[in-house]
Amino acid sequence: MRFKVDFPVEIFFGEGEADRIGEIAKKYGKTAFAVIDPFLKGSAVEERVERKLTEVGVKAVPFYEVVPNPTVELIDKGTEMVRNGNYDMVIAIGGGSSIDTGKAIALLATNEGSCWEYTERLGANVVRPKVKGLPLISVPTTAGTGSEATPYAVINNPAIHQKCTIVSPMVFPWHPL
């Protein structure tokens, strides 16, 4: 039996790896849009990440509006905030929904339109990303979806009762911790 795994991302895992976030983030700039699971608001995880970023001069602006099965409206709102702000990177902290939200926001921050236009839908004219998104660092806090290692971002459109996926190699996180 033979297996081959070819990830175009670096994945760091192990005790204390989250402490390296400042060292990694400072390579990309000084301001991060931090997509954080609201469950983690005020937690030791959030405090630790913020402290490590602050130590190297990176400011993280938190976005706590993540919901299970991230919606078009949520992602487009976060995308507009990043497009209108002066962000150098996106950091996603939490489970699959937080990371998928961060992945979509990072990608759309440098590409035009709504996230829904980029989802795979039967019979639809799907927009393909023209450029790579903002640098994205993901910090998974659950063992489950593996979103930190996939080229997918799942998006829910409650208005039409559909859940579809952005599928692109440009969706991979740059640095999952």
Side-chain angles (χ1 to χ4, degrees):
M1 190 174 296
R2 188 168 175 229
F3 297 95
K4 180 180 185 246
V5 177
D6 185 20
F7 291 121
V9 295
E10 291 181 298
I11 298 178
F12 304 98
F13 58 93
E15 190 173 332
E17 282 300 311
D19 289 338
R20 296 185 59 223
I21 194 165
E23 160 194 338
I24 292 168
K26 74 179 180 180
K27 297 176 189 175
Y28 301 119
K30 299 256 183 223
T31 309
F33 187 77
V35 178
I36 304 171
D37 185 314
F39 178 76
L40 296 172
K41 186 175 184 177
S43 70
V45 171
E46 180 187 24
E47 187 279 328
R48 183 177 177 183
V49 167
E50 184 178 346
R51 182 172 26 90
K52 292 299 178 181
L53 292 170
T54 302
E55 286 174 2
V56 298
V58 175
K59 179 182 179 188
V61 177
F63 180 74
Y64 298 109
E65 298 182 37
V66 176
V67 296
N69 301 306
T71 66
V72 171
E73 293 79 16
L74 167 76
I75 292 168
D76 285 348
K77 177 182 180 180
T79 298
E80 280 307 307
M81 292 171 72
V82 172
R83 287 177 180 162
N84 294 329
N86 189 22
Y87 296 97
D88 302 308
M89 71 197 85
V90 175
I91 297 174
I93 305 168
S97 293
S98 297
I99 295 173
D100 280 357
T101 299
K103 287 163 72 169
I105 289 171
L107 180 69
L108 271 290
T110 59
N111 289 276
E112 297 179 351
S114 166
C115 62
W116 194 250
E117 298 170 49
Y118 292 80
T119 61
E120 297 294 327
R121 291 165 281 122
L122 188 60
N125 290 326
V126 177
V127 176
R128 301 292 175 203
K130 296 195 181 355
V131 296
K132 193 168 185 176
L134 287 178
L136 170 67
I137 301 169
S138 65
V139 183
T141 59
T142 61
T145 67
S147 184
E148 69 278 2
T150 69
Y152 314 115
V154 179
I155 300 168
N156 182 26
N157 191 333
I160 59 174
H161 306 289
Q162 286 188 348
K163 188 174 177 180
C164 296
T165 306
I166 297 175
V167 179
S168 171
M170 293 186 193
V171 173
F172 276 112
W174 290 32
H175 277 97
L177 290 176

